[in-house]
Amino acid sequence: MIDGHGLCVQLDALARISSQADGLTRLVMSAEHRKANDLVATWMRAAGMRVHEDAIGNIIGRYEGLQPEAPALIVGSHLDSVRHAGRYDGPLGVLAAIAGVAALHQRGEKLAHAIEVIGFCDEEGTRFGATMLGSRAVAGSFDDAALALRDDEGISLAEAMQRFGLDPEALASAARRPGDCLGYLELHIEQGPVLEALGLPCAAVTAINGATRLAVTLTGTAGHAGTVPMAGRHDALCAAAACVLAVEDAALAAGLVATVGRLELRNGAINVIPGEVHFTIDLRAPQDDLRHRTLASLEAQMRHLCERRGVGLKVSKLHELAATPCAPHMIAAIDRACTGLGLEPHHLASGAGHDGMAMAALCPIGMIFLRCKGGISHHPDESITPEDACLGASLLLEVMRAPGLTSVNAASHKF
Ligand code: HGY
Ligand code: MN
Ligand code: MN
């Protein structure tokens, strides 16, 4: 069994690498990204892995199999965070994978396949809005348009890469060949309350909900708060307020989830009628056609609300990933490993997005969920117990070693 306490000590050490004095924020292409990659690289080397950083800033450790250069099972998660984050969302999957390889290395165990542990550089999309930059680059689905996206300081992803020491022109070299990858496996906190309520520590993930992220701009007419009559106003913030409630209504009506997580009033002042408002929409559903239908009707509704108020509306798509099923043979391998460890197998769909959505374009994917306290995530109160860390990491190792997991070669996976 993996040392759950030791794993939690490492997670605490990694959590101290933050741009925020009173919490955890670690953004892609930042000084904290560099420090985190360097720390994770030392742990990878200590586990007997050969380490390199790829063209998008993912940190990658390789543990060779019995045959050198054999296809690899990729195991990992992301090292970036949301703002004011918890310390397990992402890093748990990377450090648990390293702990598993360290256990193999310690006992001199070699597998028929190689293991590659990847700490992805950006899954959350916190800094530039588009998500899964690292896993998309590995899967060969990186959208070069993302290079022009700018952060809150107006720095583009391309500039940030150059400052980080990377060449945006070399991005394509991060893409892996399907034949080199047997599958992708990730351990991640559930970020929901189900496992805790069931009294179960772990579950195999069946599928990951599809997601769309939109950037919305409303353009009204700024004016003097004291002199412009209410009837003649084109108040961008009132229009935005109506649109935000329309997002909530659409989600409730369709039975899916939608969130306005950021809203910004440009050049706001107490005595000025708001002229320009920007906000984001994050909308997710288990079925892609439901998500697409809901988005179409929501955009029509927002257009109608804005026209009535004489406010311009611009909607642009930041990110979209289809609902992603996990591979049946990987779910079965997780169930077998659960039984082997005396755990009750359980299946759960994921409402949260994960790097597996991007990696599914490259190879079969599997995910293990680990119970987290109160289902809290994307918050400093995110927490797991060392005992559960031990179970999750040990289960991950058993799946990494499972012969059945890799008997299905990548060629049989539809791309
Ligand atoms: O947004 C998500 O679902 C994930 O945490 N990136
Ligand atoms: Mn995550
Ligand atoms: Mn997250």
Side-chain angles (χ1 to χ4, degrees), residues 2 7-8 10-12 14 26 40 43-44 49 59-61 73-80 86-102 115-120 123-124 184-191 354-356 366-372 377 382 384 388-397 399-400:
I2 301 287
L7 183 52
C8 287
Q10 286 185 322
L11 286 160
D12 291 344
L14 187 55
R26 190 164 54 237
V40 168
W43 289 330
M44 287 177 163
M49 288 189 260
I59 188 72
I60 301 172
L73 174 70
I74 300 178
V75 192
S77 191
H78 58 97
L79 293 173
D80 69 308
R87 63 188 59 198
Y88 303 101
D89 171 7
L92 170 68
V94 181
L95 301 194
I98 296 171
V101 171
I115 298 280
E116 287 203 15
V117 178
I118 301 187
F120 289 115
E123 184 270 348
E124 299 288 2
Y184 172 69
L185 180 63
E186 179 171 353
L187 170 69
H188 201 289
I189 52 171
E190 177 201 340
Q191 298 177 300
H354 299 286
D355 285 303
M367 276 198 82
I368 299 170
F369 267 172
L370 187 70
R371 168 172 53 189
C372 59
S377 184
E382 191 178 273
I384 63 172
D388 278 0
C390 163
L391 285 174
S394 303
L395 181 61
L396 184 71
L397 175 55
V399 181
M400 283 158 67

Side-chain angles (χ1 to χ4, degrees), residues 152 214-220 236-237 239-241 243-244 260-267 274-281 311-316 318:
D152 292 348
L214 303 175
V216 181
T217 298
L218 278 73
T219 311
L237 188 53
C243 289
V244 170
V260 174
R262 291 192 77 166
L263 184 141
E264 198 190 330
L265 168 50
R266 284 286 156 86
N267 305 319
E276 182 178 322
V277 172
H278 296 255
F279 66 83
T280 59
I281 297 175
V311 169
L313 172 73
K314 180 172 166 268
V315 179
S316 48
L318 282 174

